[in-house]
Amino acid sequence: QVNSGGWGGNTTTISSEGIFNISFRVIDVAGNTVSVAESVSIDLNPPVIEYSISGGSGGYYGSSVTISGGSTDSASGVASEEVRIDGGAWAAPGTFTLAEGNHTIEYRVTDNAGHVSTTSETITVDVSPPAVSLEMPNTCSGELIFSGSATDPSGISSAEIVIDGSS
């Protein structure tokens, strides 16, 4: 018997996802009856990956990045969430200190039924300050004309000119 349905034969197939209450009843020739009941959760789908990386923006990060999970599995639940950086060992999500450069972040989620979902992305850690150049004469006899430039692999978010403490 499945979920209070009719009593069937010795074999019953369940092919949908969900939690099922299974009862097995045996009646002997003398009319004696015994029943046993169990619940089973059937999970046919892998977990849904949800995670975030904080400590930067636009794909560029400082040396300290925090990877947080929040994956879900509606049938059996999430058993574990793990992170691997640059092919290293799998570890629990958390805060990691990374060197300058590109890093591959892999995220793996396993549900209680053993299904596994994985994803990966590449981030860039930029801990070097921008390169700055300023071109101007050492002295001038009139209007001062100068120029400056700045470059950085992660881009320049702002630049300003300050003369004698005023911008």
Side-chain angles (χ1 to χ4, degrees):
Q1 179 183 38
V2 178
N3 288 343
S4 300
W7 289 98
N10 292 336
T11 303
T12 301
T13 301
I14 303 170
S15 58
S16 60
E17 192 168 80
I19 298 173
F20 299 90
N21 298 310
I22 310 295
S23 298
F24 184 61
R25 179 177 66 180
V26 177
I27 304 170
D28 68 13
V29 176
N32 298 308
T33 303
V34 65
S35 296
V36 290
E38 296 285 334
S39 288
V40 64
S41 175
I42 297 179
D43 183 352
L44 302 173
N45 297 301
V48 176
I49 294 178
E50 291 290 333
Y51 73 101
S52 64
I53 303 174
S54 59
S57 64
Y60 291 93
Y61 296 83
S63 64
S64 180
V65 297
T66 299
I67 303 171
S68 303
S71 300
T72 58
D73 185 87
S74 61
S76 66
V78 171
S80 66
E81 293 183 84
E82 300 171 292
V83 122
R84 180 165 67 179
I85 300 171
D86 297 330
W90 289 101
T95 300
F96 302 89
T97 301
L98 304 177
E100 177 130 2
N102 293 329
H103 297 279
T104 301
I105 308 295
E106 294 174 87
Y107 203 82
R108 176 171 73 182
V109 181
T110 305
D111 68 15
N112 287 307
H115 299 113
V116 177
S117 295
T118 60
T119 190
S120 68
E121 69 178 277
T122 299
I123 66 169
T124 301
V125 171
D126 179 7
V127 294
S128 299
V132 176
S133 69
L134 182 61
E135 296 178 22
M136 61 187 228
N138 289 332
T139 60
C140 74
S141 59
E143 183 179 56
L144 174 62
I145 299 174
F146 61 93
S147 64
S149 65
T151 59
D152 191 87
S154 65
I156 303 297
S157 66
S158 67
E160 63 181 353
I161 296 171
V162 176
I163 300 172
D164 289 337
S166 300
S167 52

